[in-house]
Amino acid sequence: PKPIRLLSRIFKVANTQNNDIILDFFAGSGTTAQAVMELNEEDGGNRRYICVQLPEKTEENSEAAKAGYATIADITAARIKKVIGKIQINRPKDIEGWRALGFRKFTLAPSNFKLWRGDVIDSEEELLRQMRLFATPQRATATTPDMAWELLLKSGLSLTDKVTVIWLADGLKVYTSADKSLALVLDGFNAAVQAAVLKLKPKQLILLDSVFAGQPNGDSLTTNAQLTFEDQGIAFKTV
């Protein structure tokens, strides 16, 4: 176990500054994250941390397992949440301008999108099977946030970039990068979605093919949408 005070001392001796990133590739229970956040509270710094932890399973009869933590990575995330809550409670209420606290948790996983296997197509039946499989590009287990982050990363954004979600009627939404250069439409497409994207005026718009599926004249709707966006200088791409 790494003592919080020792890590805090190391960060001071190393003369870490505002916006420095402290990386811990063996995060364990998240001591590094706690030390960084508490040191920021102490001296007003803005250090950030990246904690990496394999999803190593907890011992079957351990206290952690009994508490519902299946992996060490679950313990890491839970501790960071608790530390953030404790810091916020202990902040003086009569002082304004405290920096917001939070963190993002990402898990390395296979792609959310299906892989076209041209190397296994050796018959008409196999070709038809693959085409039916690709009626929708995303895997059955894919969630909208997961697909959004994968597409954002593949478009050159980083995991720390700010992403805005614009909520529309019927639960539909538009994801957009901080500089509004990229927009994603992954849940569905209608006039409200089109209007929202046109108002944003991104440089590029990425949509799932499936957002047009099942709609009357889906092919015509796709073509009309593409012409509308490209007429406004918005590059149109479907996945």
Side-chain angles (χ1 to χ4, degrees):
K2 296 169 289 213
I4 298 171
R5 288 182 61 190
L6 173 61
L7 288 177
S8 180
R9 177 62 180 161
I10 290 173
F11 301 154
K12 291 178 180 178
V13 170
N15 195 30
T16 56
Q17 304 292 325
N18 278 348
N19 301 315
D20 279 352
I21 298 175
I22 297 169
L23 173 65
D24 186 347
F25 248 116
F26 301 90
S29 65
T31 309
T32 294
Q34 180 171 352
V36 170
M37 289 188 287
E38 290 184 353
L39 183 57
N40 283 340
E41 290 294 297
E42 177 185 320
D43 64 10
N46 188 35
R47 303 168 188 83
R48 293 174 292 169
Y49 56 85
I50 299 174
C51 291
V52 182
Q53 177 59 51
L54 292 173
E56 180 181 341
K57 294 185 181 300
T58 54
E59 294 291 336
E60 185 175 351
N61 295 318
S62 65
E63 293 301 316
K66 293 176 183 177
Y69 302 118
T71 69
I72 294 178
D74 293 334
I75 299 174
T76 312
R79 178 177 182 175
I80 294 174
K81 289 180 182 178
K82 290 179 180 179
V83 171
I84 289 174
K86 181 180 178 181
I87 289 175
Q88 290 173 331
I89 290 174
N90 292 334
R91 282 176 167 177
K93 301 299 185 291
D94 57 342
I95 299 179
E96 298 181 358
W98 286 107
R99 185 175 291 109
L101 294 175
F103 73 103
R104 289 174 176 171
K105 178 186 175 184
F106 293 97
T107 303
L108 186 63
S111 173
N112 293 283
F113 300 97
K114 301 168 186 174
L115 177 64
W116 178 266
R117 293 293 307 276
D119 58 318
V120 299
I121 298 176
D122 54 9
S123 66
E124 181 179 347
E125 290 75 16
E126 181 59 30
L127 175 61
L128 291 173
R129 192 190 74 81
Q130 285 267 38
M131 291 180 68
R132 286 193 295 270
L133 180 66
F134 275 78
T136 56
Q138 66 270 30
R139 298 182 186 276
T141 55
T143 66
T144 301
D146 287 347
M147 287 189 290
W149 276 107
E150 180 173 345
L151 291 171
L152 288 166
L153 285 172
K154 288 179 175 178
S155 299
L157 276 73
S158 73
L159 293 174
T160 57
D161 281 330
K162 182 177 180 180
V163 176
T164 301
V165 182
I166 301 173
W167 289 86
L168 304 170
D170 302 324
L172 300 181
K173 48 189 175 290
V174 177
Y175 290 83
T176 178
S177 58
D179 61 1
K180 295 184 174 57
S181 63
L182 175 66
L184 304 176
V185 173
L186 308 173
D187 297 300
F189 186 85
N190 58 22
V193 172
Q194 178 169 296
V197 174
L198 289 173
K199 185 177 180 180
L200 287 169
K201 295 182 179 179
K203 294 180 180 178
Q204 183 178 30
L205 170 65
I206 300 177
L207 310 90
L208 291 184
D209 272 334
S210 55
V211 302
F212 299 104
Q215 298 200 46
N217 303 313
D219 290 341
S220 298
L221 181 61
T222 305
T223 301
N224 290 336
Q226 180 175 0
L227 292 173
T228 299
F229 290 121
E230 291 183 347
D231 186 56
Q232 297 298 315
I234 301 170
F236 181 93
K237 179 181 179 181
T238 57
V239 178

